[in-house]
Amino acid sequence: MAKDYFSGHSKLYATFRPTYPDVLYEFIFKHVKQFDTAWDCATGNGQVAQVLANSFKTVYATDISREQIQHAHQKKNIVYNIEQAEQTSFADNQFDLITVAQAIHWFDTETFFQEVARVARPGGILAVWGYANCFVNSEIDKHFVHFYQNIVGPYWDKARVLIEQHYQPISFPFEEIPSPPFQIQVNWNLEQFAGYLTTWSATQKYIHTTGIDPVPEFIKQIKPRWKDAMPVTFPVFLRLMRVK
């Protein structure tokens, strides 16, 4: 069963999480045979579903968090449902594309893959991706690593290691399609960077446990080194599968 770490700050999540590059979707779509129906699993604020809706007739977007879906992007051809990743109400052989962005590390993958095999159409594609820790420059990165590892580090769920390892430990029971690396590049001011750090599940757990928000002290440390808008880069990794 997937874990829900994001309901309590869904508005922050919708505001401050980075968006994925067009080249990522273009690469995935090259391998899709038809653009009838897609499923965006663990849709969160509907960021991916919104993009899929530009190319697919119908997009079904699911999440276990009612609060996340309440803040999701709305389009007439996106159908939002509150459902578990591992057990859905979808019909057999329904989807041309199934996407999971920055979320599969929360799943019971064995059960989820059984569900994927059931609901994917013949020739259907499963695209699973995530993004690793960002980097700015050597001076800020040094403080960032300390914050990530030593301040909120003890509050990360053990599943976080799968992100750090780019999902390589996950064994997929499908035919894998080799994928290149991608990256997200944004220009953020300090408020935006702080907002992103606040969306971390580890940050939220730190706040809940201690009653203290660790982000302002970290921002205070890097503020003298931050210009108005700084380039922030996130490495993006993709595992692409043909299901059957």
Side-chain angles (χ1 to χ4, degrees):
M1 182 182 295
K3 302 171 185 176
D4 180 7
Y5 286 110
F6 303 102
S7 288
H9 57 292
S10 52
K11 190 174 292 187
L12 276 173
Y13 195 95
T15 303
F16 292 112
R17 280 291 168 128
T19 57
Y20 303 107
D22 291 342
V23 290
L24 171 69
Y25 295 104
E26 290 166 5
F27 179 80
I28 294 169
F29 290 171
K30 283 196 309 183
H31 300 276
V32 176
K33 291 185 175 180
Q34 57 184 1
F35 291 80
D36 184 19
T37 312
W39 171 26
D40 183 37
C41 182
T43 192
N45 63 3
Q47 176 193 135
V48 174
Q50 183 181 36
V51 177
L52 299 182
N54 294 329
S55 299
F56 286 81
K57 291 179 183 177
T58 308
V59 176
Y60 290 88
T62 63
D63 204 282
I64 59 173
S65 169
R66 184 180 299 275
E67 289 79 5
Q68 284 273 43
I69 285 179
Q70 285 175 345
H71 290 97
H73 302 282
Q74 299 295 319
K75 279 191 174 183
K76 62 181 181 180
N77 62 331
I78 302 177
V79 180
Y80 287 103
N81 290 318
I82 300 166
E83 299 206 38
Q84 299 279 352
E86 300 87 350
Q87 184 176 9
T88 70
S89 59
F90 298 130
D92 294 356
N93 304 314
Q94 185 171 350
F95 297 109
D96 304 301
L97 174 66
I98 299 168
T99 57
V100 187
Q102 196 75 358
I104 199 170
H105 50 288
W106 304 125
F107 295 0
D108 176 338
T109 53
E110 183 177 351
T111 309
F112 173 65
F113 291 148
Q114 292 173 2
E115 188 70 351
V116 167
R118 183 183 71 82
V119 302
R121 284 180 176 160
I125 293 292
L126 170 65
V128 175
W129 70 87
Y131 55 89
N133 282 338
C134 63
F135 52 88
V136 182
N137 60 41
S138 58
E139 191 64 28
I140 290 172
D141 294 349
K142 179 174 64 176
H143 291 277
F144 175 85
V145 169
H146 174 73
F147 179 79
Y148 175 83
Q149 293 182 343
N150 301 321
I151 304 302
V152 300
Y155 297 89
W156 284 112
D157 187 279
K158 62 182 181 179
R160 177 70 190 182
V161 71
L162 291 174
I163 289 284
E164 295 173 350
Q165 297 174 344
H166 295 193
Y167 290 158
Q168 288 307 305
I170 299 176
S171 178
F172 289 79
F174 310 118
E175 175 193 352
E176 185 153 12
I177 300 167
S179 303
F182 302 91
Q183 61 182 19
I184 298 167
Q185 292 183 307
V186 293
N187 288 307
W188 276 349
N189 60 33
L190 202 51
E191 181 183 4
Q192 290 170 305
F193 191 57
Y196 163 67
L197 299 177
T198 305
T199 68
W200 285 0
S201 59
T203 303
Q204 290 297 314
K205 189 174 180 180
Y206 184 107
I207 294 170
H208 180 76
T209 303
T210 68
I212 299 169
D213 185 349
V215 174
E217 179 60 30
F218 169 67
I219 294 300
K220 181 180 176 181
Q221 294 170 9
I222 66 172
K223 186 174 183 179
R225 301 168 178 84
W226 198 282
K227 299 176 182 178
D228 290 342
M230 298 280 285
V232 181
T233 302
F234 296 83
V236 177
F237 48 90
L238 168 68
R239 297 197 65 182
L240 194 66
M241 310 283 154
R242 192 167 300 282
V243 179
K244 54 185 174 181

